Amino acid sequence: VETHSARLACQFDGYPIPKISWYRNNANLGESIFQNEFKIMTSQSTSYLEIAHTLTSHFTVYQCRAENSLGRSQVDIQLKRARPPDQPMNIEINADSLDRNVFVLSWSAPESDGGTTILEYYVY
């Protein structure tokens, strides 16, 4: 079974500087019980939650919580499993009227992008 890594990012700002915590199913992921499963790294303005080897149970909602003496703020981040996108639709090939060796290939975006942005297509 092929596994992949995942990295979630949470940007924050506040004064006094907030303490950042990551949660999943109300469990604080910074506790030692999760140290082999998750890695948390926090800089001055961004906190990262890294999962080295994703399992099905990792595809769920995470909470990034910023807390200081003035209050608490939280954002939910959903980790979704990406899958291959559908095939492009309305594929057309047209010959260039000025050069018989040139063809124009066009298409419409697929109905499903597989859960992530399509950055490029390869034509074979």
Side-chain angles (χ1 to χ4, degrees):
V1 174
E2 183 179 357
T3 63
H4 298 279
S5 63
R7 185 177 190 186
L8 306 179
C10 176
Q11 293 185 325
F12 61 91
D13 188 17
Y15 184 84
I17 296 172
K19 179 181 184 277
I20 305 301
S21 303
W22 286 89
Y23 291 83
R24 179 184 73 176
N25 300 326
N26 295 317
N28 186 335
L29 301 179
E31 295 178 359
S32 61
I33 190 172
F34 296 110
Q35 68 184 1
N36 293 329
E37 192 173 355
F38 301 100
K39 182 177 180 182
I40 298 172
M41 297 168 298
T42 302
S43 68
Q44 289 183 349
S45 62
T46 307
S47 183
Y48 299 98
L49 175 67
E50 288 190 352
I51 306 167
H53 304 286
T54 56
L55 304 171
T56 300
S57 63
H58 291 131
F59 295 99
T60 187
V61 177
Y62 294 82
Q63 292 79 35
C64 176
R65 185 178 297 167
E67 189 169 3
N68 64 17
S69 60
L70 300 176
R72 179 172 84 183
S73 183
Q74 176 175 300
V75 64
D76 290 347
I77 303 170
Q78 183 165 9
L79 180 60
K80 293 182 178 180
R81 182 186 307 266
R83 60 176 182 73
D86 292 343
Q87 292 183 351
M89 300 176 8
N90 306 317
I91 298 172
E92 293 183 17
I93 300 174
N94 295 304
D96 187 313
S97 60
L98 300 177
D99 186 343
R100 294 185 315 159
N101 296 319
V102 175
F103 294 88
V104 177
L105 179 63
S106 63
W107 61 85
S108 301
E111 285 187 25
S112 171
D113 62 11
T116 187
T117 303
I118 298 172
L119 300 175
E120 59 189 10
Y121 291 94
Y122 293 99
V123 178
Y124 298 93

